[in-house]
Structure formats: structure tokens, C-alpha cells
């Protein structure tokens, strides 16, 4: 008795009931496909969040004002917020300090506004106009598509120049006209377009390209006034230096703002790296949950195998009796039905892998799935084990049948 | 010789079947059915035995025990001198495969499986290689006159042809013992004659044959007739002896014996 023959009998058994075999296979197919696809979607959404954060710059720290416990109370008492929690250009400059802040590469003061831009009849409300210094571009990973960036001279001279994002460019100038060198109006003040930025795409809900940059001094002059900065954008020397840079910024600013050690600070330092870590663990949980749901459907598919194999064994009791009467040992019967079950689940598993891989080529709920090779191996192995596990009960039942009882079975 | 004691009739050194006070009871105390109530029987090698008796007298029960498909409730059963009771499941499978060829009243061929594959089946379980298996199965089917119908499925064959496939399957492993439970029970007289001619040839080739039948003219092919009644053997007669079924047939049988023997030598029975 060779194993090859047992395989032959198992294949013949599956072929004898093609539709039933196909439907049972479908259960496993869906389970395995779902595991691969959903894990890929989970991974894809994680990758997407990560990419969005990367777009903003991985070495990036942002310092913003915070009406914290002490600061808030102090602000209320004095009646002026700026005396306690203003972020100033001097603050920004103080952060570039090779001795006290060795991990800080650049520091850019930022003011923001959301003005209306017009160009020969076309009007566009810019979601974010940033007034800053040249270091800002590299810190936030903005690249130039054409023209030139803002220079230090532009800042010192408070020149009315502007660099615009793709959305602003197409809204005002259309797709055919070259915006560089054109003059547009920002809240009725004329600006010359110096350059156009490369597109970043949307980061979640916001359109990152609905964006423009002008010299800090110009924006303060004509739009925001010379109050507190909205942000200081700090670029650390490397992604791994961000935590050290965060500590350095905190101690420098605390000293400059004369904060007591116990007081909660009137500013907040946001670290992209820690944001990344948080988002990583969130998407990991998300992926595990998706995988678990898919795994349940895989188990349901396995129960389908048990079910169908029990029906098969009952239906073929007489056949089992005949085989036993002709001298089939228990192991041969066990093997035959076990192999049938495992073949069902393996075929289902293989088709499920194919279906899962095809599914991951599509965008699911706005997420581009990212295939996790381990999930393929795991889903396939689990489907084989499911065949073994869920098939062993019916197969064992078949093998244990008493020959004469099996033959008498109607 | 002969008479009621068949045990020392046709002499082999070792009897193929030896039943000693075999009982078989179905069910529990309250509703127990005593199918066999102490059957003792010895069948020597090469014997040709017909088992007769009314319906429900325990013939099939006895046959299933002899064929190792069922186990007695009590009593001894020796097959080729081996105590069957002590065999493991694996060894029993081996015994069923190598020593016994079983023919059933209801054919019991595998459905949706060609005649050739059906006949090959016991050889598969015997571990015979593909080519050898095919050759032997073909020879067996040719022997039963179905050389032209190798690839027919059971539902494409007549009852008589199906039973001949079943006989081919029973003899393909060259077992020492062929058991048949009403092999002609579902067949017309022509098909019955075909099947019985096969058994006669096998007998002449030296096989031990035990068959169950209700019909006298089928039993007459055998050399020995055993009657069961209510789970007991009530008579055990040998061909040509005083109480043999019909005297007129027994003379004719010996005339044609030589012819049959040469036919058997042509077939690859041994
Ligand atoms: N599995 C079983 N459970 C209970 N009783 C059974 C079983 N098999 C057989 N019997 C009983 O045992 C007795 C003998 O049955 P058996 O099949 O041996 O008869 P038989 O001589 O072959 O009859 P027939 O000529 O009709 O085939 C019968 O009374 C039958 O009802
Ligand atoms: Mg019977």
C-alpha cells in the first residue's frame, strides 16, 4: 500500500462530488483571502500614516504656544497673553545654539494666515500661508518644482514674494500658464510668485498642497502683525536626535520664559518621532483586530470542512465497508479521508492566497494595501493545519467503522 | 468416507476453517437474538461447501465470522491454523486481503469505478505495483469473460456481469479461501450458471470455496452441503453419500470434470 494510491483515492473522492468540494473549498478560500487582504489593509493604512508623517519631515519638532496650567492663570491675571506665552523670533534664534542645543540643526519661526489670493479675476482662499525663513523648506521636506525658494535677503528686505503649492498654482493660473514671475494679490497686496512647490498630495483630510510660503517679515507686515509666532519649526540633526533635541528646546525655552521647574510650560514641543511611534502602535492594534476577524472566518471555513467530511463519511460508509472487506487497513482509510480534507483546505488555501493577492492590488477604503509575506505563509499553513485538525475527526470515524456494520449501512 | 463428518474428508494437513462452538448474539439481554448457538465446523483445504438453511438461520452471520468481517460472541475460530481472535486490527486487514476472497449477494462493487479499478482494489491494498496490478486484474477479468469490459462502471454492467467482476475481484489476490454469500441470489438462471461455472473451475484449481445458497441446483455444484437451522448445524453431507440432495446430477458431474480441469489450467488461476 503506497501513499500515492491513497492520494489517488482521495482525489477520486473529491472529483466524485465536484460542486460540494468546490463549495467547501470556498469557505477556506474566503478565510485565507480575508486574512491576507485585511492584514495588508491594516499594514497599508499604517504605512500611509507613516508616509504622511514622513512628508512633514521625520526630524521635525514643532514648538507651539500652550495655555498651560500656570501660564493660563498668569495670562488671566496680567490680562495680556503675550507677556507670558508669546513665542518670538528671538526664541527661535536662541534654539540654534551649538553648545546648549547640539542636536538642533535649524530653527524656523512660523506665522500662519489664511488669506485670499486673486489673479486676474481668479480667486482662491489659501488654506495655509506660512510666513517663515528659508530653513523651513528643508525642515518640512518641501521641494521646489520650478522657480526659486525664498532667500534670506527676501526675509531681511521684507520683499513681497511668494512660493505657492500646486493647488494654489492650478486654481489661480490653470494648468497651462507658468506662474513664476506673475504677480498675484494677497488681500489686495501684490506679491511676485518666485517658485512653485512639488506636490505632496493629501495628508488624510487636508490638502497639503493648498499652501504658500512668504518671507516671515512680509507676512507679519501685511497680514499677522508682530505678535507671537504661531510655531517654531525645529529640525533635529537626525531622526534619532529628536528626543534629545526636544529636551534641549524645553530647557532653553523654559529659561527664556522664566518658568519655575514645577510650573507646567507655556509651550508645547511636538515630536514627529513620538507621533510615529504612537501611530505605529495604533495601526498595529488595528491590523491585529482585522487579522482576528479574518481568522474567525478561517475557522468557520474549517468547521465547513468537518461538516462536509462527516456527510461524506456517512454517505460513503458502504464504500468504506467494501474497502475494509477487501483488506484496507485502518491507516489507509484514515489517510484517504484525511488527505481529502487536507486537499480541500490546501486547495482553498492556495486559491485564497491568489484571491488575497489580487485583492491587495486594489485600493480598499482609501488605503493601498501592503502585502505582509508572513501573513501569506501563516494563512496557508493554518489552512493546511485546519484541514488536518477538522478532518481528523470524520476521518477517524471512518477508519474505526466496523467492516460488517459499514457494509450493512443503507 | 464422507458421511456426516466432513472434517476428515478431503485431506489437507491443515484445515482452512476450524470453528469450535461458535456463538453469536446480537443485542442486549432483553432483546438478544441468538444468531449462532454453538457451531462447530471444519473445512479442509480444497473443499467445496454449500451452506443452506431457512432465512434467518444464521448463514450470513457464520459467513461473516469466517470472513473475518465480524467476531463471534464466544467460541474459537482458526483460519489456516491461526487464532483469529488474537489478531490485531492490522493483521485482520492483512488476513482479509491475502487469505480471503469475498463475494456478496449485492455485488458490493465501488460505484463510479471501472471494472478494472474495482478488481485492482485488493491488489492496491496488498501493495502490488501498478503494472503488475493491471496485468493481474486484466487476467482475472478475462477469466470471468469480461476482457472486453475493463473500463465499464458498475452501473454500465448487467447484474450477472457485475457479479462476475466481483468474482474476479475475489480471486485476483489468489486467496486460499473464497467465500460467497448467495452469489447468485440476484441473478437469472443463465447468469447463475456462468458464475457457478467460475466457482467450479476455481474449485478444480484447488481453492477452498464456501458458498451460501437457497437453491438446490446451486448447492449441487458443491461437494458438501451443510444445513443450518436456528443457529445450529443440523446436517453435514458429502456429495454422493446417502442423503445427498439429488442423485441424478452427481453422476453427470464427474463426466465433465476432465474438461473443466483443462479449462482451469488455461486461466491463470494459480
Ligand atoms: N446486526 C444485527 N443485529 C441484530 N440482529 C441481527 C443482526 N444481523 C443478523 N441478525 C439476526 O440474526 C439472525 C441470523 O441472521 P443471518 O443474516 O445470519 O440470517 P441468514 O441465514 O443469512 O438469512 P438470509 O437467508 O435471509 O440471508 C436473524 O434472526 C437476524 O435477524
Ligand atoms: Mg443472509
Amino acid at each position: 500500500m503506497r501513499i500515492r494510491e491513497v492520494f489517488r483515492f482521495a482525489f477520486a473522492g473529491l472529483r466524485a462530488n465536484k460542486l460540494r468540494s468546490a463549495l467547501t473549498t470556498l469557505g477556506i478560500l474566503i478565510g485565507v483571502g480575508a486574512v491576507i487582504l485585511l492584514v495588508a489593509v491594516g499594514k497599508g493604512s499604517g504605512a500611509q500614516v507613516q508616509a504622511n508623517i514622513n512628508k512633514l519631515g521625520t526630524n521635525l519638532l514643532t514648538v507651539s504656544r500652550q495655555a498651560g496650567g500656570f501660564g493660563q492663570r498668569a495670562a488671566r491675571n496680567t490680562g495680556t497673553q503675550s507677556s507670558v506665552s508669546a513665542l518670538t523670533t528671538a526664541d527661535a534664534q536662541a534654539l540654534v545654539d551649538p553648545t546648549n542645543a547640539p542636536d538642533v540643526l535649524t530653527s524656523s519661526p512660523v506665522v500662519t494666515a489664511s488669506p485670499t489670493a486673486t489673479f486676474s479675476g481668479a480667486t482662491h482662499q489659501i488654506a495655509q500661508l506660512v510666513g517663515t525663513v528659508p530653513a523651513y523648506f528643508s525642515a518640512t521636506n518641501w521641494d521646489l518644482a520650478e522657480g526659486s525658494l525664498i532667500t534670506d535677503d527676501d526675509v531681511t528686505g521684507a520683499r513681497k514674494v511668494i512660493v505657492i503649492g500646486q493647488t494654489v498654482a492650478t486654481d489661480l493660473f490653470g494648468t497651462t500658464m507658468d506662474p513664476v514671475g506673475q504677480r498675484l494679490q494677497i488681500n489686495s497686496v501684490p506679491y511676485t510668485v518666485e517658485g512653485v512647490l512639488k506636490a505632496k498630495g493629501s495628508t488624510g483630510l487636508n490638502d497639503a498642497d493648498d499652501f504658500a510660503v512668504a518671507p516671515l517679515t512680509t507676512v507679519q507686515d501685511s497680514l499677522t502683525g508682530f505678535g507671537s509666532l504661531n510655531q517654531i519649526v525645529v529640525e533635529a540633526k537626525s531622526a534619532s536626535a529628536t528626543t534629545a533635541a526636544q529636551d534641549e528646546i524645553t530647557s532653553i525655552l523654559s529659561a527664556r520664559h522664566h518658568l519655575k521647574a514645577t510650573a507646567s510650560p507655556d509651550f508645547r514641543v511636538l515630536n514627529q518621532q513620538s507621533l510615529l511611534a504612537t501611530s505605529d502602535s495604533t495601526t498595529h492594534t488595528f491590523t491585529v483586530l482585522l487579522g482576528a476577524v479574518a481568522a474567525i472566518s478561517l475557522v468557520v471555513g474549517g468547521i465547513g470542512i468537518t461538516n462536509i467530511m462527516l456527510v461524506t463519511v456517512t454517505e460513503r460508509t458502504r464504500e468504506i465497508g467494501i474497502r475494509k472487506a477487501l483488506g484496507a487497513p485502518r491507516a489507509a482509510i484514515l489517510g484517504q479521508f484525511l488527505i481529502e480534507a487536507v486537499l480541500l483546505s490546501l486547495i482553498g488555501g492556495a486559491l485564497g492566497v491568489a484571491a488575497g493577492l489580487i485583492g491587495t492590488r486594489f485600493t480598499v477604503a482609501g488605503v493601498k494595501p501592503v502585502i505582509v509575506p508572513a501573513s501569506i505563509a501563516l494563512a496557508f499553513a493554518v489552512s493546511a493545519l485546519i484541514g488536518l485538525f477538522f478532518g481528523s475527526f470524520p476521518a477517524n470515524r471512518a477508519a474505526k467503522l466496523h467492516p460488517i456494520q459499514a457494509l450493512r449501512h443503507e | 468416507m464422507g458421511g456426516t463428518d466432513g472434517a476428515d474428508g478431503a485431506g489437507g494437513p491443515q484445515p482452512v476453517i476450524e470453528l469450535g462452538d461458535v456463538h453469536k448474539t446480537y443485542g442486549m439481554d432483553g432483546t438478544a437474538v441468538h444468531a449462532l448457538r454453538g457451531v462447530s465446523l471444519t473445512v479442509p483445504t480444497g473443499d467445496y461447501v454449500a451452506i443452506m438453511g431457512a432465512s434467518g438461520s444464521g448463514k450470513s452471520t457464520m459467513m461473516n465470522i469466517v470472513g473475518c468481517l465480524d467476531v463471534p460472541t464466544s467460541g474459537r475460530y482458526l483460519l489456516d491454523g491461526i487464532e483469529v481472535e488474537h489478531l490485531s486490527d492490522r493483521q485482520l486487514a492483512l488476513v482479509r486481503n491475502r487469505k480471503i476472497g469475498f463475494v456478496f449477494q449485492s455485488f458490493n462493487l465501488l460505484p463510479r469505478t471501472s471494472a478494472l479499478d474495482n478488481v485492482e482494489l485488493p491488489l492496491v491494498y496488498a501493495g502490488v505495483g501498478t503494472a503488475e496490478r493491471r496485468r493481474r486484474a486484466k487476467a482475472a477479468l478475462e477469466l470471468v469473460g469480461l476482457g472486453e469490459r475493463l473500463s465499464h462502471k458498475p452501473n454500465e454492467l448487467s447484474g450477472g456481469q457485475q457479479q462476475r467482476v466481483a468474482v474476479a475481484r475475489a480471486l485476483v489476490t489468489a486467496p486460499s479461501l473464497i467465500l460467497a454469500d448467495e452469489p447468485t441470489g440476484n441473478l437469472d438462471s443463465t447468469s447463475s450458471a456462468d458464475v457457478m461455472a467460475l466457482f467450479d473451475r476455481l474449485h478444480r484449481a484447488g481453492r477452498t470455496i464456501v458458498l451460501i445458497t437457497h437453491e438446490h441446483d446451486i448447492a449441487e455444484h458443491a461437494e458438501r452441503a451443510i444445513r443450518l437451522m436456528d443457529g445450529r448445524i443440523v446436517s453435514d453431507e458429502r456429495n454422493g453419500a446417502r442423503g445427498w440432495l439429488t442423485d441424478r446430477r452427481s453422476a453427470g458431474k464427474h463426466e465433465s470434470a476432465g474438461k473443466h480441469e483443462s479449462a482451469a489450467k488455461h486461466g491463470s488461476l494459480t
Side-chain angles (χ1 to χ4, degrees):
Chain A
M1 181 79 225
R2 294 159 198 199
I3 191 77
R4 191 161 53 91
E5 307 295 340
V6 185
F7 266 96
R8 198 165 56 88
F9 290 147
F11 266 115
L14 292 180
R15 264 203 310 274
N17 250 311
K18 289 195 192 69
L19 179 64
R20 186 195 289 173
S21 303
L23 288 175
T24 315
T25 302
L26 195 61
I28 296 295
L29 187 159
I30 290 171
V32 170
V35 166
I36 292 172
L37 182 59
L38 292 189
V39 168
V41 167
K43 186 81 177 169
S45 76
Q48 203 165 38
V49 171
Q50 192 143 349
N52 285 344
I53 291 171
N54 285 345
K55 271 184 209 161
L56 300 174
T58 37
N59 306 351
L60 196 70
L61 296 122
T62 50
V63 184
S64 48
R65 296 159 64 200
Q66 172 171 264
F70 173 75
Q72 201 168 31
R73 219 175 304 122
R76 224 183 288 121
N77 293 345
T78 56
T80 57
Q81 214 180 25
S82 58
S83 67
V84 174
S85 54
L87 286 175
T88 61
T89 311
D91 282 341
Q93 279 159 355
L95 293 178
V96 186
D97 181 342
T99 46
N100 290 329
D103 292 300
V104 172
L105 187 66
T106 67
S107 169
S108 318
V110 168
V111 291
T112 56
S114 187
T116 305
T118 53
F119 175 75
S120 66
T123 306
H124 178 79
Q125 163 123 37
I126 301 172
Q128 196 177 35
L129 170 67
V130 166
T132 187
V133 296
Y136 179 83
F137 292 102
S138 67
T140 52
N141 282 357
W142 278 110
D143 288 322
L144 194 65
E146 54 177 323
S148 56
L149 291 174
I150 298 212
T151 61
D152 285 326
D153 285 348
D154 292 336
V155 177
T156 36
R159 292 204 193 114
K160 298 212 165 23
V161 292
I162 190 164
V163 173
I164 56 176
Q166 287 290 338
T167 304
V168 179
T170 45
D171 261 27
L172 289 179
F173 303 100
T175 47
T176 47
M177 188 190 277
D178 181 10
V180 176
Q182 304 289 344
R183 286 171 75 82
L184 53 75
Q185 319 266 319
I186 302 275
N187 286 4
S188 308
V189 179
Y191 282 69
T192 306
V193 177
E194 285 278 273
V196 179
L197 297 168
K198 274 191 185 150
K200 269 191 181 183
S202 73
T203 54
L205 294 173
N206 302 324
D207 178 6
D209 297 314
D210 193 356
F211 182 73
V213 184
L216 174 71
T217 42
T218 318
V219 177
Q220 282 177 324
D221 260 351
S222 58
L223 289 168
T224 61
F226 289 85
S228 170
L229 301 173
N230 294 80
Q231 275 182 347
I232 299 172
V233 167
V234 177
E235 187 182 4
K237 289 220 164 102
S238 69
S240 53
T242 51
T243 312
Q246 181 169 10
D247 292 342
E248 291 155 15
I249 293 164
T250 307
S251 68
I252 291 173
L253 288 184
S254 296
R256 286 181 59 82
H257 290 193
H258 308 293
L259 292 174
K260 289 178 188 143
T262 51
S264 58
D266 57 359
F267 60 89
R268 191 160 60 121
V269 185
L270 212 74
N271 183 339
Q272 295 287 7
Q273 281 301 317
S274 64
L275 217 78
L276 262 182
T278 319
S279 86
D280 256 10
S281 77
T282 320
T283 55
H284 180 72
T285 312
F286 181 58
T287 307
V288 166
L289 276 178
L290 283 180
V293 169
I296 288 170
S297 80
L298 197 55
V299 171
V300 172
I303 294 170
I305 288 191
T306 312
N307 201 1
I308 236 49
M309 289 309 294
L310 280 175
V311 171
T312 301
V313 166
T314 311
E315 229 180 41
R316 284 157 62 186
T317 303
R318 210 182 159 85
E319 175 195 322
I320 295 164
I322 294 170
R323 289 179 184 275
K324 288 208 149 186
L326 296 179
R330 196 177 276 190
I333 303 289
L334 182 75
Q336 180 181 341
F337 285 92
L338 208 53
I339 289 169
E340 277 193 31
V342 172
L343 278 178
L344 278 178
S345 65
L346 275 186
I347 293 169
L351 293 176
V353 168
L357 290 183
I358 290 169
T360 50
R361 316 189 97 214
F362 299 98
T363 304
V364 182
V367 173
K368 182 89 198 71
V370 173
I371 296 164
V372 183
S375 78
I376 297 176
L378 191 74
F380 195 68
V382 165
S383 76
L385 285 179
I386 274 179
L388 264 183
F389 180 77
F390 286 97
S392 64
F393 171 59
N396 219 349
R397 179 181 267 200
K400 275 194 188 145
L401 279 175
H402 208 274
I404 199 68
Q405 279 159 10
L407 276 173
R408 285 236 179 87
H409 187 85
E410 295 305 321
Chain B
M1 275 291 171
T4 46
D5 185 12
D8 48 355
Q14 180 139 49
V16 183
I17 301 170
E18 212 176 334
L19 293 173
D21 196 28
V22 165
H23 287 254
K24 179 74 186 180
T25 311
Y26 291 108
M28 292 295 119
D29 296 333
T31 57
V33 177
H34 298 283
L36 294 178
R37 305 161 184 261
V39 171
S40 298
L41 174 70
T42 308
V43 177
T45 307
D47 210 353
Y48 191 178
V49 185
I51 296 174
M52 305 188 72
S55 184
S57 55
K59 305 182 295 293
S60 295
T61 304
M62 187 178 107
M63 190 69 113
N64 292 335
I65 289 171
V66 169
C68 295
L69 298 177
D70 210 347
V71 285
T73 311
S74 70
R76 245 159 56 96
Y77 172 34
L78 276 76
L79 175 66
D80 272 347
I82 304 161
E83 191 112 31
V84 169
E85 195 190 338
H86 297 133
L87 294 181
S88 70
D89 196 74
R90 222 193 138 67
Q91 289 169 314
L92 271 178
L94 213 62
V95 164
R96 287 195 282 260
N97 186 246
R98 302 288 162 86
K99 289 194 189 296
I100 299 166
F102 218 113
V103 180
F104 303 89
Q105 177 178 357
S106 51
F107 318 142
N108 274 338
L109 299 177
L110 285 192
R112 299 181 298 273
T113 307
S114 71
L116 191 64
D117 283 348
N118 260 296
V119 177
E120 276 187 30
L121 197 56
L123 295 176
V124 171
Y125 290 122
V128 178
T130 316
E132 167 76 357
R133 208 163 68 203
R134 186 126 304 188
R135 192 186 64 70
R136 282 168 68 176
K138 262 188 190 150
L141 278 166
E142 268 155 26
L143 192 78
V144 300
L146 289 173
E148 308 299 309
R149 296 217 162 42
L150 300 178
S151 56
H152 284 56
K153 310 269 165 69
N155 59 352
E156 298 161 354
L157 294 168
S158 75
Q161 288 167 338
Q162 287 186 55
Q163 194 60 300
R164 280 190 277 156
V165 173
V167 172
R169 184 180 66 182
L171 59 84
V172 76
T173 52
S176 49
L177 178 60
I178 291 178
L179 304 173
D181 190 345
E182 299 189 44
T184 60
N186 283 341
L187 305 181
D188 67 5
S189 54
T190 324
S191 300
S192 296
D194 287 347
V195 169
M196 288 316 294
L198 283 170
F199 282 120
D200 291 348
R201 281 167 71 177
L202 287 169
H203 166 59
R204 279 176 228 304
R207 302 297 164 75
T208 312
I209 298 169
V210 180
L211 62 84
I212 294 175
T213 184
H214 283 288
E215 292 157 72
H216 276 204
D217 50 340
I218 297 293
E220 274 168 13
H221 286 258
E223 305 214 309
R224 182 182 172 191
I226 290 168
R227 276 183 189 281
L228 278 180
M229 192 188 286
D230 289 334
R232 286 193 186 88
I233 294 180
V234 291
S235 79
D236 184 350
E237 298 163 294
R238 199 152 271 285
N239 189 357
R242 167 179 36 85
W244 185 247
L245 306 157
T246 43
D247 288 310
R248 64 189 156 76
R249 277 281 195 101
S250 55
K253 277 190 77 165
H254 290 291
E255 266 172 46
S256 57
K259 212 168 61 194
H260 274 288
E261 235 147 313
S262 59
K265 279 189 185 112
H266 282 290
S268 55
L269 280 173
T270 47

